[in-house]
Amino acid sequence: MSKGPDAEASSDLAAQEIAAGGGTAAVGAIGANDTRFFGHPLGLSNLFFTELFERFSYYGMRALLVLFMTAETVEGGLGYDVAKSTLIYGLYTSLVYLVNLPGGWIADRLLGQRRSVLVGGSIIAIGHYTMAIPQTLFFYIGLGLIVLGTGLLKPNISVMVGQLYPAEDARRDAGFTLFYMGINMGAFAAPLVCGALAVNYGWHYGFAAAGVGMTVGMIVYVLFGKQIAGLGQLTPEAEATKSAASSSLVKGLVGVLVLVGAIYGLMAAGVIASTAEAISGVYTVVLLVIVGGLFGWLFTRDYWTDLERKKLYLIGLLFLGAAVFWAAFEQAGSSLNLFAEQSTNRALPGWLSWIPGLETLAGGVRGVPTAWFQSANAFFIFTIAPIVAAIWVTLGRRNADPSSPTKFGIGLILLGLGFVVMVGAGIAAGGGAQVSPWWLVLTYLLHTLGELTLSPVGLSAMTKLAPARVSSLMMGVWFLGASVGNFAAGFIASFYERMELPSFMGLVAAIAIIAGVLFFFIAGPFKRMMAKAETGSVPASH
């Protein structure tokens, strides 16, 4: 299999950036000879640990979110039902990724990626500390601050990872996989720490611990800033148009405030019901308008070259695949989390009762806090990721690396097989029985294999395919796919108690597997189309 039809165009892209005076390609050229961090540029270590602590903060809070909302008020929770809680969960996690679009735009035109990461991380930390205040109002304010901060941090730190490598560097996918390993080391520790604090001291101690994690991440980012010197700076063109960009930002903010004010006014007047379902309906329309408007704008621009336009089509395809993947995968924080709470035997034998942080279950038995199951996926990722990275590097050296759509197909099918396992778990849990935790462990293992096949590859593909002048915006498009998927995940999870468990899990499995099979059929024709656009020739089939 050929290395991929994008190598030559990506090299040309780097040359254009150097000619334009941008720092991206220059830094990548230095990174080509830098092997100080496990064979990768030293700057990867800074971004690795910064993202580790940022993900600690996010996944620590995420592991508690639905459980906190569904817990009775006498237990310190909000007392919401499952449907309302999962819809709010889906809306929040969707917004976390949706704001990556304006976050990427702000970085491209106003702050640069490096400064955006610092500002965003600081806002995230404040948001977590706000959630630690035991009042419902501060709960929602904290969620809003985390949304805003993540929009500035998340897309831009990923762009900076891409800037470490020349586009043709064979280590690129492996570097993103190692970066992904750092993400999941934080995601592994977070549910253990935050979950133990929540069940032993109270929910808000868990939220506060997430804030501490983000604070540590920002300290690492600043103290070791020399490792990423030259990365994430504004281009000369952006510096020259900074005032115009500031004016556009102000107009955008005013527009958002007007929209929010109009919706609030309609709710106050009783035209729109003030319920989670009604708000989700409004958000659905907004999300569809954003997705349709963005891709409509991208595909109708007349300044793209033929190759750039073909790459935009591939970006659109990967966007759809990512949306379907996350709609199923993000059941982890909602329906699978509820399955762990309600239908899984979490008790441990007495000889393991010494483990710190355990929860006291019914009958005084000591057992695993529900949130700890959220660490399974992350544990599998940072133990398996080096193997997957080595496989991609080996296949790349042999010119046998599968195309991005093929990898997406594999990832989706593996994800679907995880839910096939949960069909069996749902049958075993019939009549209110509690089943072995190994059902969930096996499911998370399959989901992890699917995630490693799809997600870091998608991140890497976006940095290779994106036109240079909109690099952060295209990373925002990738996260827009996650936004759509997360919102769909919350909507799907709202049926968790309305359907029989086997039927619910089977539906999710079918969606993922069918999408995966479609990607296998699409991969070949798309690769040939890209090769023809770039070189005028069609690669041999393999």
Side-chain angles (χ1 to χ4, degrees), residues 64-65 67-80 131 133-136 139 198 201-204 207:
L64 305 178
L65 193 54
L67 300 177
F68 170 69
M69 287 189 287
T70 56
E72 298 295 334
T73 54
V74 294
E75 299 172 348
L78 296 181
Y80 296 165
M131 289 184 68
I133 302 172
Q135 292 184 20
T136 304
F139 170 76
Y201 299 100
W203 298 105
H204 298 283
F207 294 143

Side-chain angles (χ1 to χ4, degrees), residues 73-136:
T73 54
V74 294
E75 299 172 348
L78 296 181
Y80 296 165
D81 61 32
V82 168
K84 180 176 180 178
S85 298
T86 53
L87 285 173
I88 293 173
Y89 171 86
L91 180 62
Y92 160 70
T93 54
S94 177
L95 282 168
V96 160
Y97 290 101
L98 180 62
V99 294
N100 281 255
L101 278 171
W105 184 90
I106 289 170
D108 279 336
R109 291 165 174 79
L110 289 172
L111 297 179
Q113 288 90 17
R114 185 173 179 178
R115 196 176 303 165
S116 294
V117 169
L118 178 60
V119 174
S122 302
I123 295 174
I124 291 171
I126 295 171
H128 285 297
Y129 292 133
T130 302
M131 289 184 68
I133 302 172
Q135 292 184 20
T136 304

Side-chain angles (χ1 to χ4, degrees), residues 84-412:
K84 180 176 180 178
S85 298
T86 53
L87 285 173
I88 293 173
Y89 171 86
L91 180 62
Y92 160 70
T93 54
S94 177
L95 282 168
V96 160
Y97 290 101
L98 180 62
V99 294
N100 281 255
L101 278 171
W105 184 90
I106 289 170
D108 279 336
R109 291 165 174 79
L110 289 172
L111 297 179
Q113 288 90 17
R114 185 173 179 178
R115 196 176 303 165
S116 294
V117 169
L118 178 60
V119 174
S122 302
I123 295 174
I124 291 171
I126 295 171
H128 285 297
Y129 292 133
T130 302
M131 289 184 68
I133 302 172
Q135 292 184 20
T136 304
L137 174 62
F138 288 106
F139 170 76
Y140 286 108
I141 292 175
L143 288 180
L145 289 171
I146 295 169
V147 165
L148 295 175
T150 305
L152 284 172
L153 185 148
K154 190 66 178 170
N156 297 307
I157 198 169
S158 299
V159 169
M160 291 169 69
V161 173
Q163 291 174 356
L164 290 168
Y165 302 93
E168 71 278 5
D169 195 324
R171 301 173 299 167
R172 191 183 187 91
D173 278 8
F176 270 99
T177 301
L178 288 175
F179 177 69
Y180 215 69
M181 185 172 70
I183 289 174
N184 286 278
M185 289 176 69
F188 168 74
L192 300 179
V193 174
C194 297
L197 288 171
V199 299
N200 288 285
Y201 299 100
W203 298 105
H204 298 283
Y205 283 88
F207 294 143
V212 172
M214 188 68 260
T215 302
V216 173
M218 287 298 92
I219 292 172
V220 169
Y221 186 72
V222 173
L223 286 182
F224 297 95
K226 289 184 179 180
Q227 296 177 354
I228 53 174
L231 289 182
Q233 306 298 326
L234 283 175
T235 64
E237 293 84 357
E239 288 283 4
T241 60
K242 210 169 182 179
S243 60
S246 297
S247 177
S248 297
L249 178 62
V250 171
K251 292 177 182 177
L253 290 174
V254 171
V256 170
L257 290 174
V258 169
L259 176 62
V260 172
I263 293 173
Y264 179 80
L266 291 172
M267 288 181 174
V271 177
I272 299 177
S274 300
T275 63
E277 291 80 3
I279 294 172
S280 293
V282 172
Y283 183 73
T284 300
V285 175
V286 172
L287 196 57
L288 289 173
V289 170
I290 290 172
V291 172
L294 176 63
F295 279 99
W297 177 83
L298 283 173
F299 290 139
T300 56
R301 298 304 90 189
D302 57 6
Y303 47 68
W304 304 122
T305 65
D306 184 56
L307 177 60
E308 286 177 329
R309 195 171 296 278
K310 291 291 193 297
K311 289 184 176 183
L312 289 175
Y313 292 146
L314 181 54
I315 285 173
L317 177 66
L318 299 184
F319 167 88
L320 292 174
V324 174
F325 183 88
W326 297 121
F329 182 88
E330 286 299 330
Q331 297 303 310
S334 51
S335 62
L336 294 182
N337 212 10
L338 291 168
F339 186 89
E341 171 80 9
Q342 301 168 0
S343 304
T344 301
N345 182 2
R346 297 183 285 119
L348 289 175
W351 61 275
L352 290 177
S353 61
W354 59 268
I355 297 176
L358 295 181
E359 181 179 356
T360 301
L361 305 176
V365 179
R366 300 287 281 169
V368 175
T370 301
W372 283 16
F373 284 93
Q374 297 296 297
S375 290
N377 167 249
F379 171 77
F380 287 132
I381 280 186
F382 70 73
T383 53
I384 298 173
I387 300 173
V388 175
I391 290 173
W392 296 149
V393 170
T394 301
L395 291 175
R397 288 171 179 167
R398 297 177 181 179
N399 291 326
D401 194 21
S403 65
S404 295
T406 299
K407 291 176 181 177
F408 267 54
I410 295 171
L412 283 160

